[in-house]
Amino acid sequence: MFDIQNPVTLTGVVTVFEWTNPHSYIEIDVAEGSGSKHWTIELGSTSILQRGGWKFSTIKKGDKITAVVGPLRSGEPGSLLVRVTLPDGRVLGNGGGATGIGGGVPPPSAPTPQR
């Protein structure tokens, strides 16, 4: 469903942060040309996110964030979070493990394409 092998970087303004189970979601508007594109970013469950340093108040409507995501293979503007850089500079992953999807923050590698 998600193209984890070809992550992209999205920078945008948060419109919604849903702290819900079984998955949390961030919705952002990403500038594109003279307008913007609305993206939905799927995260893990709240219990997994809490182990990785998240709180229900970590992200707020209006925050500008940069997220590295695995986009939907369909090309629609949806994705799975790899890591996010918050307005205060903190970097959080998609959970509490050591590395990768569903676990801590993977080390940055080659630059990812901007969308």
Side-chain angles (χ1 to χ4, degrees):
M1 182 171 172
F2 299 106
D3 187 358
I4 304 305
Q5 302 305 315
N6 295 296
V8 296
T9 301
L10 305 172
T11 299
V13 177
V14 175
T15 60
V16 175
F17 178 45
E18 294 182 25
W19 184 256
T20 57
N21 279 310
H23 299 274
S24 294
Y25 293 89
I26 304 169
E27 301 205 19
I28 64 173
D29 286 334
V30 176
E32 187 173 278
S34 60
S36 66
K37 183 181 270 189
H38 189 78
W39 280 77
T40 299
I41 304 169
E42 185 173 336
L43 291 81
S45 69
T46 57
S47 60
I48 290 172
L49 293 172
Q50 285 176 322
R51 284 185 275 171
W54 290 80
K55 296 180 183 177
F56 71 93
S57 59
T58 297
I59 294 178
K60 297 167 197 62
K61 182 178 180 179
D63 283 353
K64 185 174 182 182
I65 63 170
T66 298
V68 177
V69 300
L72 283 170
R73 292 182 189 279
S74 68
E76 294 295 313
S79 58
L80 179 66
L81 182 72
V82 175
R83 68 180 171 271
V84 64
T85 303
L86 303 173
D88 64 6
R90 286 183 297 148
V91 177
L92 294 175
N94 195 7
T99 60
I101 301 295
V105 179
S109 56
T112 56
Q114 296 284 325
R115 286 207 180 169

